[in-house]
Amino acid sequence: MGKVYGILGWMNFFSFTETKEKIFSYLPWFILKNKKWDIIKLKNWKQHNSHFIIQINNIIDRSLASTWTNTDIFIDKNQLPKLYPDEYYWNDIIKCKVFNTTSKYLGRVINLISNKYNDILLIHNELKKNNIKKIMIPFINKKIVKNIDIQNKIIIVKWN
């Protein structure tokens, strides 16, 4: 959750789901606060420019809302739609080890980046001694990304 919006306890909220509004169908939300999991009960939400503003139950003013800012929300993975074969959630791909087709270790996936053409795997190689520690590989299934084994957290790519 982002910074406070107004004086009535609203907060800026940024969704990272593919269809931004879809996050509101994955209720309840959870938050880790003071090393304890709490359930967030959403009172209201509105589209605001390129993001949303939300109101949480019992958060009625700016000072209460400020205690919730700069926090991440979580959902139960079982709430997500079932995927078709060869579809993956980004969260499942992060931390996968990446090897090229000749079994050369390239690193671990630390993030995915979306652009209008295709997603990009951001890979960090903690073993490299030279300056090239991060590699960006286009996520083009079957052409560059040859195999994804989520169970064993391994991705095979056609890359040098």
Side-chain angles (χ1 to χ4, degrees), residues 18 20 90 111-121:
E18 193 168 352
K20 302 298 182 198
W90 281 16
N111 203 354
L112 284 104
I113 302 167
S114 185
N115 66 36
K116 69 180 186 177
Y117 300 108
N118 53 264
D119 296 332
I120 297 169
L121 293 168

Side-chain angles (χ1 to χ4, degrees), residues 5 16 37 41 44 46 58 72 90 99 114 138 153:
Y5 178 87
F16 296 102
W37 286 102
K41 293 188 175 131
N44 204 351
K46 297 177 191 176
N58 302 321
D72 294 326
W90 281 16
F99 296 88
S114 185
K153 303 292 275 181

Side-chain angles (χ1 to χ4, degrees), residues 59-135:
I59 306 296
I60 56 172
D61 63 36
R62 186 176 183 85
S63 62
L64 280 173
S66 68
T67 66
W68 292 76
T69 60
N70 300 316
T71 56
D72 294 326
I73 62 119
F74 300 88
I75 63 166
D76 186 332
K77 189 173 183 174
N78 294 327
Q79 294 172 273
L80 296 173
K82 298 292 179 214
L83 298 175
Y84 293 107
D86 293 332
E87 287 186 333
Y88 311 95
Y89 286 114
W90 281 16
N91 189 53
D92 294 331
I93 291 174
I94 292 178
K95 295 186 182 174
C96 282
K97 293 179 182 176
V98 181
F99 296 88
N100 71 10
T101 53
T102 62
S103 299
K104 178 183 172 191
Y105 178 70
L106 299 176
R108 282 188 191 268
V109 177
I110 57 171
N111 203 354
L112 284 104
I113 302 167
S114 185
N115 66 36
K116 69 180 186 177
Y117 300 108
N118 53 264
D119 296 332
I120 297 169
L121 293 168
L122 182 58
I123 299 165
H124 175 73
N125 186 331
E126 63 281 351
L127 303 178
K128 287 249 180 181
K129 302 292 183 223
N130 59 15
N131 292 336
I132 305 170
K133 288 190 175 184
K134 289 194 179 147
I135 304 168

